[in-house]
Amino acid sequence: MLPRIDWILKYADLSGKGIEIAPYFNPAVAKRDGHDVLIMDMLNTEKLRSRALDDPRIPDTRIEEIENVDLVGDASRLGEVIAKAGLQGKIDYIVSSHNFEHLPNPILFLQGAYDALAPGGVLSMAVPDCRAIFDHFRLPSRLSDWLAAYHEDRRQPSPETLFDGGAHKSMFIHDGQAQPGCDLKTGDPAAFEPNRRLVQVYEDYKARKAQPSEYRDAHCNVFFPETLELMLRDLRKLNLVGFDILEISETQGLEFFVHLRKPETPREIPDEAFYAHRHDLLVKMSRNLGAAPYGIAPWDIRKRKIARWLKSLRSRVKNRLKEIKSG
């Protein structure tokens, strides 16, 4: 199996000029290693480092790894930022790790990335699989969601998006400890526990509908490989996005990797081939919703449930024996 960094950079021509989207303190392509790469973020360098200093989860030693931000702006509006900088058609690769799912307007981002890249240039993304993270109980995003965001020129997560994320957020419980996700191939989907904040999330929703609030970060988009591939191919057919799909990997752990190329010469995909592939993807989507991809046979699930029940029973018996002795 390829190391994670090799998955992300599999098709990137690092000898050329690149852009990395919001790497924070963990860039995949670092300037300090001699790469000609531009860093893009919503915040400038000073504000990023100030935020990191206030975050107890980030060691002070990692703050030095936050590289200077060259392009400040919303990634959804990459095209505008690139045009202002005079970089249209001059970029050889774009790297984005766990940023795409946060974008309120993904179609606009894809269009901006396409405009930024030279012919043959590649957009590479690491994307979380919604089935393996805290979005486990959310339904995958639909193309209609993306179209609404695009035609409404959406600039931040909608109240409905925030409600959906809050109402269905979960944690993966392993050995009594809460974790944000699990390995899709080895985890037990029954270990995901949904939160119990539905009433409060609805109150927050009503407040946002009554009075729009400041930008709040969220997973605006949730998908697994087949659902994202379907939307990308549909967008190409609708002439909204021009990328060819180089590769969309299977899920590795809790994420998968997407590589899109700006073609040297745009080409039309015949209807017969397009709809045949679309049919296959829809069938795969239907089969891979929910717990299906975990690869756990029904008997394995029963064994795990029995093991949890026996563990709970032993704990109750042990506690009862303590009560009897103390009594």
Side-chain angles (χ1 to χ4, degrees):
M1 180 183 294
L2 286 176
R4 181 179 188 273
I5 191 66
D6 291 342
W7 269 112
I8 297 174
L9 302 178
K10 188 174 182 180
Y11 296 96
D13 179 8
L14 299 184
S15 66
K17 190 176 190 66
I19 294 174
E20 184 161 6
I21 308 292
Y24 203 15
F25 59 88
N26 193 31
V29 188
K31 296 178 185 179
R32 58 181 173 272
D33 293 333
H35 297 295
D36 182 9
V37 60
L38 301 171
I39 303 299
M40 180 173 179
D41 202 284
M42 282 283 290
L43 303 176
N44 62 31
T45 311
E46 182 181 355
K47 290 181 179 178
L48 271 183
R49 289 177 177 164
S50 176
R51 172 185 284 185
L53 280 169
D54 294 334
D55 191 336
R57 298 170 298 178
I58 301 176
D60 289 348
T61 54
R62 302 292 316 262
I63 294 172
E64 298 176 1
E65 298 175 38
I66 297 176
E67 300 200 315
N68 289 331
V69 177
D70 306 285
L71 304 169
V72 178
D74 176 6
S76 285
R77 300 183 181 277
L78 173 62
E80 296 175 10
V81 176
I82 289 297
K84 185 176 180 180
L87 292 170
Q88 289 173 307
K90 297 180 180 180
I91 302 300
D92 297 298
Y93 64 91
I94 299 172
V95 175
S96 169
S97 178
H98 288 246
N99 180 259
F100 188 56
E101 65 275 11
H102 293 265
L103 301 180
N105 196 336
I107 294 176
L108 194 62
F109 165 76
L110 292 168
Q111 291 176 343
Y114 188 90
D115 291 342
L117 290 167
V122 174
L123 167 63
S124 296
M125 301 187 290
V127 181
D129 187 316
C130 64
R131 302 166 299 184
I133 62 169
F134 53 79
D135 292 319
H136 178 79
F137 292 110
R138 295 178 69 182
L139 294 176
S141 298
R142 303 165 299 174
L143 183 59
S144 56
D145 301 324
W146 283 17
L147 291 173
Y150 177 68
H151 286 281
E152 293 169 8
D153 193 28
R154 195 170 295 165
R155 293 173 179 265
Q156 65 181 43
S158 69
E160 288 74 23
T161 295
L162 294 172
F163 174 82
D164 184 55
H168 298 99
K169 186 174 183 178
S170 63
M171 295 297 288
F172 184 78
I173 309 301
H174 179 69
D175 290 337
Q177 299 295 317
Q179 301 176 2
C182 68
D183 188 314
L184 190 69
K185 294 181 180 178
T186 60
D188 179 358
F192 277 98
E193 292 285 347
N195 67 33
R196 300 183 179 187
R197 297 186 62 250
L198 181 62
V199 174
Q200 182 58 54
V201 172
Y202 180 55
E203 293 301 319
D204 293 343
Y205 168 77
K206 290 190 292 183
R208 292 189 187 99
K209 292 295 283 187
Q211 180 64 48
S213 60
E214 62 183 18
Y215 193 102
R216 182 175 175 183
D217 188 32
H219 278 192
C220 299
N221 312 289
V222 293
F223 18 59
F224 53 89
E226 291 84 0
T227 66
L228 181 52
E229 181 177 351
L230 177 71
M231 289 196 287
L232 291 171
R233 291 186 181 278
D234 283 357
L235 288 170
R236 176 68 184 273
K237 186 66 173 176
L238 296 172
N239 294 317
L240 287 169
V241 171
F243 281 113
D244 287 337
I245 295 175
L246 271 175
E247 182 181 7
I248 297 181
S249 77
E250 293 183 352
T251 299
Q252 312 291 330
L254 55 70
E255 63 186 347
F256 61 99
F257 302 92
V258 180
H259 304 281
L260 309 176
R261 174 176 286 159
K262 181 174 181 175
E264 299 278 354
T265 303
R267 61 186 178 86
E268 290 292 328
I269 301 174
D271 277 356
E272 184 174 350
F274 170 78
Y275 284 110
H277 198 147
R278 192 171 192 267
H279 171 265
D280 291 343
L281 280 172
L282 287 166
V283 171
K284 288 179 181 178
M285 280 173 49
S286 177
R287 290 175 178 169
N288 286 327
L289 284 168
Y294 281 81
I296 301 172
W299 172 237
D300 292 328
I301 294 176
R302 287 197 296 271
K303 284 193 294 185
R304 292 186 186 196
K305 288 181 177 179
I306 291 169
R308 286 198 298 271
W309 178 80
L310 287 173
K311 183 178 180 180
S312 175
L313 178 62
R314 285 194 295 269
S315 177
R316 293 198 302 270
V317 170
K318 186 176 180 180
N319 290 336
R320 181 56 181 156
L321 289 174
K322 286 182 178 179
E323 291 175 2
I324 292 172
K325 288 180 181 179
S326 62

